[in-house]
Amino acid sequence: FPVTIRVREAVARGIEVYNFANFEVLLNFIESQRAATCFLHHSYSLLNPELLNLIDVIEVVHNPYWWQVGNMELLNLRRSMKRLVCVSEYVAEFTTKMLLVNKDSVVIIPNCIPVENASRRIKSGGRVFLNVANFAEQKNHLLLIKSFMKFCLDSDDYENELWLAGKGIVANLGSYIEEILAENTKVKIKIFHLQNHEDMKQIYTESSFYIQPSTFEGFSLASLEALSYGLPIAISRCGWSIVTGK
């Protein structure tokens, strides 16, 4: 199995980790181990009648899956599930109303994070505005960059910085940032392409504020992590921010 930070953490906590070559090997393993429950998350290649007939399946739903609206095949498979776990009331409401999942099969378990290693240290001088998210359209990086540029140009402070940390690619984002930096010396933007989660600790501790302008979120883990490091956060009105009203 690829040795990632998550795998090492799981093994350290006494969890056995396996990598199955194909679906048939997985089914044979489940039968041999007499497993009672299978948790799935974004594993739709495994979501089929053969698995559902063999074991109780619980799916973890972490976002409003709007792209699945009207998918009758998934709907019929989910009706055979023992339970669906949604990470917020917002996600649960979307799942029952838009994906037509039986409300009685849904349970809400909010996202959580370990905080024993969290620490707080504001970066000396200036202010660092942080966003942690995959570089994807729904994370709304362009709006954040435009807003930060306006803030910098309207401010007398030259020490403000915007840090964007994540994985993936947003079309033309890099060239857009380069153009802004070339034309505006007051605007300072850094991009951190994360290789693993351990890279995040220093980034959080050296930041001053956390900003998340996503167009949709289920229950943002990055926001929870920012809070655990003592950062004030500003997030768009979507997902759990609607539920909490903050």
Side-chain angles (χ1 to χ4, degrees):
F1 198 95
V3 182
T4 65
I5 294 293
R6 294 301 192 193
V7 170
R8 288 202 293 267
E9 182 180 352
V11 172
R13 292 175 182 267
I15 300 173
E16 295 182 0
V17 180
Y18 298 89
N19 183 28
F20 300 101
N22 54 55
F23 184 67
E24 184 178 352
V25 175
L26 170 62
L27 291 180
N28 291 335
F29 177 82
I30 291 173
E31 288 184 317
S32 65
Q33 297 295 314
R34 301 177 184 272
T37 304
C38 176
F39 287 88
L40 293 181
H41 175 63
H42 272 328
S43 302
Y44 300 113
S45 60
L46 302 180
L47 194 55
N48 62 56
E50 192 173 0
L51 180 65
L52 291 168
N53 290 333
L54 182 63
I55 191 173
D56 287 336
V57 174
I58 298 177
E59 181 184 7
V60 179
V61 183
H62 80 293
N63 256 329
Y65 296 159
W66 51 266
W67 56 91
Q68 296 179 3
V69 173
N71 188 325
M72 297 308 296
E73 181 181 1
L74 278 178
L75 171 61
N76 291 329
L77 289 171
R78 284 186 172 121
R79 284 175 173 168
S80 302
M81 287 185 184
K82 181 178 181 179
R83 189 75 67 186
L84 276 83
V85 175
C86 294
V87 300
S88 69
E89 293 178 20
Y90 171 73
V91 173
E93 183 178 1
F94 182 93
T95 301
T96 55
K97 288 186 177 180
M98 301 303 296
L99 300 184
L100 306 180
V101 171
N102 187 343
K103 188 174 182 179
D104 293 336
S105 67
V106 173
V107 61
I108 300 172
I109 303 178
N111 276 335
C112 59
I113 58 170
V115 296
E116 62 268 17
N117 295 323
S119 60
R120 183 72 188 98
R121 177 170 61 85
I122 295 180
K123 187 175 184 294
S124 59
R127 289 174 292 187
V128 173
F129 298 85
L130 173 66
N131 171 263
V132 178
N134 291 327
F135 293 112
E137 296 294 337
Q138 72 268 22
K139 300 302 182 179
N140 224 357
H141 289 95
L142 290 178
L143 174 64
L144 177 56
I145 292 168
K146 290 178 181 178
S147 300
F148 179 72
M149 180 174 65
K150 184 178 186 304
F151 171 76
C152 290
L153 296 178
D154 291 343
S155 171
D156 295 328
D157 190 348
Y158 278 72
E159 300 301 321
N160 296 306
E161 296 181 33
L162 174 62
W163 290 4
L164 306 176
K167 296 180 180 180
I169 299 174
V170 174
N172 302 320
L173 180 62
S175 58
Y176 180 67
I177 292 176
E178 290 177 3
E179 183 179 330
I180 290 176
L181 297 181
E183 296 178 354
N184 303 279
T185 57
K186 290 180 67 175
V187 181
K188 299 177 182 179
I189 302 174
K190 293 182 181 179
I191 295 182
F192 299 84
H193 292 283
L194 302 179
Q195 299 302 314
N196 58 63
H197 203 72
E198 286 295 300
D199 297 338
M200 287 308 307
K201 185 171 184 179
Q202 184 175 358
I203 293 176
Y204 277 121
T205 56
E206 293 189 3
S207 299
S208 309
F209 301 95
Y210 181 82
I211 304 177
Q212 181 176 278
S214 304
T215 56
F216 71 87
E217 290 281 352
F219 195 148
S220 168
L221 279 172
S223 296
L224 288 180
E225 289 171 341
L227 285 171
S228 76
Y229 281 85
L231 293 175
I233 67 172
I235 59 178
S236 54
R237 185 169 173 76
C238 67
W240 67 297
S241 65
I242 293 178
V243 176
T244 61
K246 298 180 181 179

